[in-house]
PDB file of all heavy atoms in Angstrom:
ATOM      1  N   ARG A  40    -106.784 -27.913 -19.319  1.00 97.00           N
ATOM      2  CA  ARG A  40    -106.230 -28.632 -18.092  1.00 97.00           C
ATOM      3  C   ARG A  40    -106.646 -30.070 -18.118  1.00 97.00           C
ATOM      4  O   ARG A  40    -107.451 -30.457 -18.719  1.00 97.00           O
ATOM      5  CB  ARG A  40    -106.542 -27.911 -16.865  1.00 97.00           C
ATOM      6  CG  ARG A  40    -108.040 -28.217 -16.256  1.00 97.00           C
ATOM      7  CD  ARG A  40    -108.173 -27.558 -14.865  1.00 97.00           C
ATOM      8  NE  ARG A  40    -109.481 -27.900 -14.464  1.00 97.00           N
ATOM      9  CZ  ARG A  40    -109.994 -27.439 -13.271  1.00 97.00           C
ATOM     10  NH1 ARG A  40    -109.171 -26.655 -12.483  1.00 97.00           N
ATOM     11  NH2 ARG A  40    -111.205 -27.708 -12.793  1.00 97.00           N
ATOM     12  N   GLN A  41    -105.791 -30.760 -17.352  1.00 95.00           N
ATOM     13  CA  GLN A  41    -106.009 -32.275 -17.285  1.00 95.00           C
ATOM     14  C   GLN A  41    -105.782 -32.722 -15.791  1.00 95.00           C
ATOM     15  O   GLN A  41    -104.602 -32.901 -15.398  1.00 95.00           O
ATOM     16  CB  GLN A  41    -105.069 -32.969 -18.225  1.00 95.00           C
ATOM     17  CG  GLN A  41    -105.299 -34.463 -18.397  1.00 95.00           C
ATOM     18  CD  GLN A  41    -104.575 -35.117 -19.413  1.00 95.00           C
ATOM     19  OE1 GLN A  41    -103.444 -34.726 -19.862  1.00 95.00           O
ATOM     20  NE2 GLN A  41    -105.153 -36.134 -20.167  1.00 95.00           N
ATOM     21  N   PRO A  42    -106.875 -32.913 -15.044  1.00 93.00           N
ATOM     22  CA  PRO A  42    -106.625 -33.334 -13.742  1.00 93.00           C
ATOM     23  C   PRO A  42    -106.049 -34.818 -13.816  1.00 93.00           C
ATOM     24  O   PRO A  42    -106.186 -35.479 -14.722  1.00 93.00           O
ATOM     25  CB  PRO A  42    -108.166 -33.461 -13.175  1.00 93.00           C
ATOM     26  CG  PRO A  42    -108.834 -32.399 -14.080  1.00 93.00           C
ATOM     27  CD  PRO A  42    -108.214 -32.649 -15.486  1.00 93.00           C
ATOM     28  N   PRO A  43    -105.360 -35.246 -12.763  1.00 92.00           N
ATOM     29  CA  PRO A  43    -104.631 -36.501 -12.741  1.00 92.00           C
ATOM     30  C   PRO A  43    -105.594 -37.647 -13.055  1.00 92.00           C
ATOM     31  O   PRO A  43    -106.644 -37.863 -12.507  1.00 92.00           O
ATOM     32  CB  PRO A  43    -104.169 -36.677 -11.262  1.00 92.00           C
ATOM     33  CG  PRO A  43    -104.187 -35.250 -10.702  1.00 92.00           C
ATOM     34  CD  PRO A  43    -105.240 -34.459 -11.487  1.00 92.00           C
ATOM     35  N   GLY A  44    -105.228 -38.405 -14.120  1.00 86.00           N
ATOM     36  CA  GLY A  44    -106.036 -39.559 -14.598  1.00 86.00           C
ATOM     37  C   GLY A  44    -107.306 -39.220 -15.263  1.00 86.00           C
ATOM     38  O   GLY A  44    -108.142 -40.245 -15.549  1.00 86.00           O
ATOM     39  N   LYS A  45    -107.468 -38.012 -15.570  1.00 88.00           N
ATOM     40  CA  LYS A  45    -108.775 -37.618 -16.107  1.00 88.00           C
ATOM     41  C   LYS A  45    -108.675 -37.094 -17.537  1.00 88.00           C
ATOM     42  O   LYS A  45    -107.640 -36.906 -18.078  1.00 88.00           O
ATOM     43  CB  LYS A  45    -109.502 -36.615 -15.191  1.00 88.00           C
ATOM     44  CG  LYS A  45    -109.895 -37.187 -13.829  1.00 88.00           C
ATOM     45  CD  LYS A  45    -110.697 -36.282 -12.964  1.00 88.00           C
ATOM     46  CE  LYS A  45    -111.108 -36.914 -11.675  1.00 88.00           C
ATOM     47  NZ  LYS A  45    -111.905 -36.015 -10.887  1.00 88.00           N
ATOM     48  N   GLU A  46    -109.764 -36.764 -18.112  1.00 88.00           N
ATOM     49  CA  GLU A  46    -109.811 -36.243 -19.514  1.00 88.00           C
ATOM     50  C   GLU A  46    -109.417 -34.725 -19.521  1.00 88.00           C
ATOM     51  O   GLU A  46    -109.447 -34.075 -18.565  1.00 88.00           O
ATOM     52  CB  GLU A  46    -111.165 -36.494 -20.167  1.00 88.00           C
ATOM     53  CG  GLU A  46    -112.320 -35.808 -19.473  1.00 88.00           C
ATOM     54  CD  GLU A  46    -113.659 -36.535 -19.866  1.00 88.00           C
ATOM     55  OE1 GLU A  46    -113.764 -37.781 -19.437  1.00 88.00           O
ATOM     56  OE2 GLU A  46    -114.544 -35.881 -20.453  1.00 88.00           O
ATOM     57  N   LEU A  47    -109.258 -34.335 -20.702  1.00 94.00           N
ATOM     58  CA  LEU A  47    -108.842 -32.942 -20.910  1.00 94.00           C
ATOM     59  C   LEU A  47    -110.141 -31.942 -20.769  1.00 94.00           C
ATOM     60  O   LEU A  47    -111.199 -32.316 -21.130  1.00 94.00           O
ATOM     61  CB  LEU A  47    -108.333 -32.741 -22.409  1.00 94.00           C
ATOM     62  CG  LEU A  47    -107.082 -33.544 -22.664  1.00 94.00           C
ATOM     63  CD1 LEU A  47    -106.947 -33.787 -24.029  1.00 94.00           C
ATOM     64  CD2 LEU A  47    -105.895 -32.739 -22.198  1.00 94.00           C
ATOM     65  N   GLU A  48    -109.948 -30.778 -20.163  1.00 97.00           N
ATOM     66  CA  GLU A  48    -111.070 -29.814 -20.017  1.00 97.00           C
ATOM     67  C   GLU A  48    -110.612 -28.488 -20.507  1.00 97.00           C
ATOM     68  O   GLU A  48    -109.564 -27.930 -20.251  1.00 97.00           O
ATOM     69  CB  GLU A  48    -111.221 -29.612 -18.508  1.00 97.00           C
ATOM     70  CG  GLU A  48    -111.695 -30.867 -17.738  1.00 97.00           C
ATOM     71  CD  GLU A  48    -111.769 -30.572 -16.235  1.00 97.00           C
ATOM     72  OE1 GLU A  48    -111.080 -29.688 -15.607  1.00 97.00           O
ATOM     73  OE2 GLU A  48    -112.706 -31.195 -15.550  1.00 97.00           O
ATOM     74  N   TRP A  49    -111.325 -28.012 -21.446  1.00 98.00           N
ATOM     75  CA  TRP A  49    -111.073 -26.665 -22.080  1.00 98.00           C
ATOM     76  C   TRP A  49    -111.515 -25.611 -21.026  1.00 98.00           C
ATOM     77  O   TRP A  49    -112.597 -25.625 -20.568  1.00 98.00           O
ATOM     78  CB  TRP A  49    -111.886 -26.559 -23.392  1.00 98.00           C
ATOM     79  CG  TRP A  49    -111.951 -25.069 -23.904  1.00 98.00           C
ATOM     80  CD1 TRP A  49    -110.899 -24.467 -24.458  1.00 98.00           C
ATOM     81  CD2 TRP A  49    -113.031 -24.245 -23.934  1.00 98.00           C
ATOM     82  NE1 TRP A  49    -111.278 -23.179 -24.870  1.00 98.00           N
ATOM     83  CE2 TRP A  49    -112.636 -23.121 -24.586  1.00 98.00           C
ATOM     84  CE3 TRP A  49    -114.374 -24.319 -23.561  1.00 98.00           C
ATOM     85  CZ2 TRP A  49    -113.473 -21.997 -24.812  1.00 98.00           C
ATOM     86  CZ3 TRP A  49    -115.151 -23.244 -23.797  1.00 98.00           C
ATOM     87  CH2 TRP A  49    -114.754 -22.094 -24.426  1.00 98.00           C
ATOM     88  N   ILE A  50    -110.558 -24.683 -20.651  1.00 98.00           N
ATOM     89  CA  ILE A  50    -110.902 -23.604 -19.692  1.00 98.00           C
ATOM     90  C   ILE A  50    -111.417 -22.443 -20.369  1.00 98.00           C
ATOM     91  O   ILE A  50    -112.383 -21.843 -19.972  1.00 98.00           O
ATOM     92  CB  ILE A  50    -109.650 -23.340 -18.893  1.00 98.00           C
ATOM     93  CG1 ILE A  50    -109.049 -24.584 -18.107  1.00 98.00           C
ATOM     94  CG2 ILE A  50    -109.880 -22.112 -17.976  1.00 98.00           C
ATOM     95  CD1 ILE A  50    -107.697 -24.356 -17.496  1.00 98.00           C
ATOM     96  N   GLY A  51    -110.865 -22.026 -21.474  1.00 97.00           N
ATOM     97  CA  GLY A  51    -111.232 -20.857 -22.219  1.00 97.00           C
ATOM     98  C   GLY A  51    -110.271 -20.372 -23.157  1.00 97.00           C
ATOM     99  O   GLY A  51    -109.126 -20.961 -23.266  1.00 97.00           O
ATOM    100  N   ASP A  52    -110.571 -19.426 -24.110  1.00 95.00           N
ATOM    101  CA  ASP A  52    -109.640 -18.919 -24.913  1.00 95.00           C
ATOM    102  C   ASP A  52    -110.059 -17.501 -25.282  1.00 95.00           C
ATOM    103  O   ASP A  52    -111.115 -16.953 -25.095  1.00 95.00           O
ATOM    104  CB  ASP A  52    -109.423 -19.795 -26.188  1.00 95.00           C
ATOM    105  CG  ASP A  52    -110.650 -20.150 -26.853  1.00 95.00           C
ATOM    106  OD1 ASP A  52    -111.508 -19.280 -27.082  1.00 95.00           O
ATOM    107  OD2 ASP A  52    -110.754 -21.364 -27.266  1.00 95.00           O
ATOM    108  N   MET A  53    -108.947 -16.754 -25.874  1.00 96.00           N
ATOM    109  CA  MET A  53    -109.137 -15.350 -26.054  1.00 96.00           C
ATOM    110  C   MET A  53    -108.561 -14.981 -27.454  1.00 96.00           C
ATOM    111  O   MET A  53    -107.534 -15.644 -28.004  1.00 96.00           O
ATOM    112  CB  MET A  53    -108.284 -14.632 -24.997  1.00 96.00           C
ATOM    113  CG  MET A  53    -108.041 -13.083 -25.173  1.00 96.00           C
ATOM    114  SD  MET A  53    -107.310 -12.446 -23.757  1.00 96.00           S
ATOM    115  CE  MET A  53    -108.896 -11.898 -22.892  1.00 96.00           C
ATOM    116  N   PHE A  54    -109.204 -14.029 -28.062  1.00 96.00           N
ATOM    117  CA  PHE A  54    -108.746 -13.375 -29.381  1.00 96.00           C
ATOM    118  C   PHE A  54    -107.839 -12.264 -28.985  1.00 96.00           C
ATOM    119  O   PHE A  54    -107.913 -11.723 -27.955  1.00 96.00           O
ATOM    120  CB  PHE A  54    -109.924 -13.007 -30.158  1.00 96.00           C
ATOM    121  CG  PHE A  54    -109.693 -12.630 -31.525  1.00 96.00           C
ATOM    122  CD1 PHE A  54    -109.157 -13.665 -32.370  1.00 96.00           C
ATOM    123  CD2 PHE A  54    -110.039 -11.511 -32.161  1.00 96.00           C
ATOM    124  CE1 PHE A  54    -108.907 -13.415 -33.734  1.00 96.00           C
ATOM    125  CE2 PHE A  54    -109.739 -11.171 -33.535  1.00 96.00           C
ATOM    126  CZ  PHE A  54    -109.268 -12.200 -34.292  1.00 96.00           C
ATOM    127  N   PHE A  55    -106.982 -11.927 -29.916  1.00 95.00           N
ATOM    128  CA  PHE A  55    -105.963 -10.838 -29.709  1.00 95.00           C
ATOM    129  C   PHE A  55    -106.623  -9.461 -29.273  1.00 95.00           C
ATOM    130  O   PHE A  55    -105.999  -8.652 -28.616  1.00 95.00           O
ATOM    131  CB  PHE A  55    -104.936 -10.666 -30.795  1.00 95.00           C
ATOM    132  CG  PHE A  55    -105.519  -9.977 -31.927  1.00 95.00           C
ATOM    133  CD1 PHE A  55    -105.391  -8.594 -32.122  1.00 95.00           C
ATOM    134  CD2 PHE A  55    -106.041 -10.603 -33.128  1.00 95.00           C
ATOM    135  CE1 PHE A  55    -105.891  -7.906 -33.112  1.00 95.00           C
ATOM    136  CE2 PHE A  55    -106.577  -9.992 -34.147  1.00 95.00           C
ATOM    137  CZ  PHE A  55    -106.501  -8.580 -34.253  1.00 95.00           C
ATOM    138  N   SER A  56    -107.799  -9.250 -29.752  1.00 93.00           N
ATOM    139  CA  SER A  56    -108.540  -8.035 -29.476  1.00 93.00           C
ATOM    140  C   SER A  56    -108.981  -7.913 -27.979  1.00 93.00           C
ATOM    141  O   SER A  56    -109.377  -6.899 -27.536  1.00 93.00           O
ATOM    142  CB  SER A  56    -109.778  -7.998 -30.347  1.00 93.00           C
ATOM    143  OG  SER A  56    -110.578  -8.956 -30.007  1.00 93.00           O
ATOM    144  N   GLY A  57    -108.977  -9.067 -27.310  1.00 91.00           N
ATOM    145  CA  GLY A  57    -109.403  -9.115 -25.944  1.00 91.00           C
ATOM    146  C   GLY A  57    -110.696  -9.784 -25.772  1.00 91.00           C
ATOM    147  O   GLY A  57    -111.095 -10.153 -24.613  1.00 91.00           O
ATOM    148  N   SER A  58    -111.314 -10.286 -26.750  1.00 94.00           N
ATOM    149  CA  SER A  58    -112.567 -10.993 -26.615  1.00 94.00           C
ATOM    150  C   SER A  58    -112.304 -12.396 -25.956  1.00 94.00           C
ATOM    151  O   SER A  58    -111.383 -13.036 -26.581  1.00 94.00           O
ATOM    152  CB  SER A  58    -113.283 -11.159 -28.032  1.00 94.00           C
ATOM    153  OG  SER A  58    -114.269 -12.124 -28.089  1.00 94.00           O
ATOM    154  N   VAL A  59    -113.014 -12.795 -25.002  1.00 96.00           N
ATOM    155  CA  VAL A  59    -112.655 -14.019 -24.343  1.00 96.00           C
ATOM    156  C   VAL A  59    -113.880 -14.833 -23.987  1.00 96.00           C
ATOM    157  O   VAL A  59    -114.945 -14.331 -23.820  1.00 96.00           O
ATOM    158  CB  VAL A  59    -111.920 -13.723 -23.005  1.00 96.00           C
ATOM    159  CG1 VAL A  59    -112.778 -12.948 -21.936  1.00 96.00           C
ATOM    160  CG2 VAL A  59    -111.420 -14.962 -22.289  1.00 96.00           C
ATOM    161  N   ARG A  60    -113.656 -16.144 -24.103  1.00 95.00           N
ATOM    162  CA  ARG A  60    -114.913 -17.117 -23.788  1.00 95.00           C
ATOM    163  C   ARG A  60    -114.332 -18.083 -22.749  1.00 95.00           C
ATOM    164  O   ARG A  60    -113.246 -18.686 -22.932  1.00 95.00           O
ATOM    165  CB  ARG A  60    -115.344 -17.670 -25.065  1.00 95.00           C
ATOM    166  CG  ARG A  60    -116.049 -16.789 -25.885  1.00 95.00           C
ATOM    167  CD  ARG A  60    -116.735 -17.467 -27.000  1.00 95.00           C
ATOM    168  NE  ARG A  60    -115.984 -17.818 -28.072  1.00 95.00           N
ATOM    169  CZ  ARG A  60    -116.366 -18.360 -29.249  1.00 95.00           C
ATOM    170  NH1 ARG A  60    -117.721 -18.439 -29.482  1.00 95.00           N
ATOM    171  NH2 ARG A  60    -115.648 -18.778 -30.219  1.00 95.00           N
ATOM    172  N   TYR A  61    -115.140 -18.297 -21.748  1.00 97.00           N
ATOM    173  CA  TYR A  61    -114.762 -19.323 -20.759  1.00 97.00           C
ATOM    174  C   TYR A  61    -115.700 -20.504 -20.796  1.00 97.00           C
ATOM    175  O   TYR A  61    -116.854 -20.426 -21.392  1.00 97.00           O
ATOM    176  CB  TYR A  61    -114.843 -18.692 -19.353  1.00 97.00           C
ATOM    177  CG  TYR A  61    -113.744 -17.674 -19.132  1.00 97.00           C
ATOM    178  CD1 TYR A  61    -114.325 -16.278 -18.976  1.00 97.00           C
ATOM    179  CD2 TYR A  61    -112.481 -17.782 -19.063  1.00 97.00           C
ATOM    180  CE1 TYR A  61    -113.479 -15.311 -18.809  1.00 97.00           C
ATOM    181  CE2 TYR A  61    -111.654 -16.778 -18.797  1.00 97.00           C
ATOM    182  CZ  TYR A  61    -112.068 -15.523 -18.728  1.00 97.00           C
ATOM    183  OH  TYR A  61    -111.202 -14.430 -18.457  1.00 97.00           O
ATOM    184  N   ASN A  62    -115.285 -21.607 -20.406  1.00 97.00           N
ATOM    185  CA  ASN A  62    -116.143 -22.854 -20.381  1.00 97.00           C
ATOM    186  C   ASN A  62    -117.190 -22.745 -19.295  1.00 97.00           C
ATOM    187  O   ASN A  62    -116.928 -22.867 -18.123  1.00 97.00           O
ATOM    188  CB  ASN A  62    -115.226 -23.985 -20.142  1.00 97.00           C
ATOM    189  CG  ASN A  62    -116.075 -25.362 -20.213  1.00 97.00           C
ATOM    190  OD1 ASN A  62    -117.279 -25.431 -20.159  1.00 97.00           O
ATOM    191  ND2 ASN A  62    -115.234 -26.430 -20.248  1.00 97.00           N
ATOM    192  N   PRO A  63    -118.477 -22.490 -19.670  1.00 95.00           N
ATOM    193  CA  PRO A  63    -119.468 -22.378 -18.715  1.00 95.00           C
ATOM    194  C   PRO A  63    -119.851 -23.633 -17.917  1.00 95.00           C
ATOM    195  O   PRO A  63    -120.506 -23.549 -16.791  1.00 95.00           O
ATOM    196  CB  PRO A  63    -120.679 -21.893 -19.544  1.00 95.00           C
ATOM    197  CG  PRO A  63    -120.514 -22.462 -20.851  1.00 95.00           C
ATOM    198  CD  PRO A  63    -118.986 -22.450 -21.039  1.00 95.00           C
ATOM    199  N   ALA A  64    -119.351 -24.743 -18.401  1.00 94.00           N
ATOM    200  CA  ALA A  64    -119.747 -25.999 -17.754  1.00 94.00           C
ATOM    201  C   ALA A  64    -118.736 -26.329 -16.596  1.00 94.00           C
ATOM    202  O   ALA A  64    -119.029 -27.185 -15.852  1.00 94.00           O
ATOM    203  CB  ALA A  64    -119.583 -27.176 -18.695  1.00 94.00           C
ATOM    204  N   LEU A  65    -117.592 -25.545 -16.574  1.00 93.00           N
ATOM    205  CA  LEU A  65    -116.677 -25.808 -15.461  1.00 93.00           C
ATOM    206  C   LEU A  65    -117.107 -24.873 -14.279  1.00 93.00           C
ATOM    207  O   LEU A  65    -116.471 -23.910 -13.855  1.00 93.00           O
ATOM    208  CB  LEU A  65    -115.206 -25.367 -15.921  1.00 93.00           C
ATOM    209  CG  LEU A  65    -114.445 -26.496 -16.729  1.00 93.00           C
ATOM    210  CD1 LEU A  65    -113.114 -26.043 -17.037  1.00 93.00           C
ATOM    211  CD2 LEU A  65    -114.468 -27.775 -16.078  1.00 93.00           C
ATOM    212  N   MET A  66    -118.165 -25.510 -13.630  1.00 91.00           N
ATOM    213  CA  MET A  66    -118.702 -24.683 -12.509  1.00 91.00           C
ATOM    214  C   MET A  66    -117.781 -24.481 -11.407  1.00 91.00           C
ATOM    215  O   MET A  66    -117.780 -23.370 -10.646  1.00 91.00           O
ATOM    216  CB  MET A  66    -119.870 -25.340 -12.068  1.00 91.00           C
ATOM    217  CG  MET A  66    -121.055 -25.571 -13.092  1.00 91.00           C
ATOM    218  SD  MET A  66    -121.570 -24.118 -13.725  1.00 91.00           S
ATOM    219  CE  MET A  66    -122.489 -23.364 -12.310  1.00 91.00           C
ATOM    220  N   SER A  67    -116.869 -25.289 -11.242  1.00 91.00           N
ATOM    221  CA  SER A  67    -115.855 -25.192 -10.201  1.00 91.00           C
ATOM    222  C   SER A  67    -114.889 -24.036 -10.312  1.00 91.00           C
ATOM    223  O   SER A  67    -114.309 -23.502  -9.474  1.00 91.00           O
ATOM    224  CB  SER A  67    -115.001 -26.460 -10.030  1.00 91.00           C
ATOM    225  OG  SER A  67    -114.170 -26.686 -11.171  1.00 91.00           O
ATOM    226  N   LEU A  68    -114.760 -23.616 -11.666  1.00 93.00           N
ATOM    227  CA  LEU A  68    -113.930 -22.423 -11.975  1.00 93.00           C
ATOM    228  C   LEU A  68    -114.726 -21.045 -12.042  1.00 93.00           C
ATOM    229  O   LEU A  68    -114.065 -19.982 -12.235  1.00 93.00           O
ATOM    230  CB  LEU A  68    -113.140 -22.626 -13.256  1.00 93.00           C
ATOM    231  CG  LEU A  68    -111.947 -23.641 -13.287  1.00 93.00           C
ATOM    232  CD1 LEU A  68    -111.360 -23.771 -14.517  1.00 93.00           C
ATOM    233  CD2 LEU A  68    -110.922 -23.271 -12.136  1.00 93.00           C
ATOM    234  N   SER A  69    -115.949 -21.064 -12.038  1.00 91.00           N
ATOM    235  CA  SER A  69    -116.785 -20.047 -12.246  1.00 91.00           C
ATOM    236  C   SER A  69    -116.502 -18.894 -11.307  1.00 91.00           C
ATOM    237  O   SER A  69    -116.455 -19.102 -10.045  1.00 91.00           O
ATOM    238  CB  SER A  69    -118.234 -20.358 -12.013  1.00 91.00           C
ATOM    239  OG  SER A  69    -119.080 -19.271 -12.250  1.00 91.00           O
TER     240      SER A  69
END
Side-chain angles (χ1 to χ4, degrees):
Chain A
R40 73 176 184 180
Q41 187 169 35
K45 296 187 178 181
E46 60 204 64
L47 298 156
E48 299 177 330
W49 170 68
I50 297 172
D52 53 42
M53 171 170 268
F54 196 54
F55 75 89
S56 63
S58 170
V59 62
R60 291 192 283 191
Y61 299 108
N62 184 344
L65 280 183
M66 301 300 293
S67 63
L68 285 180
S69 180

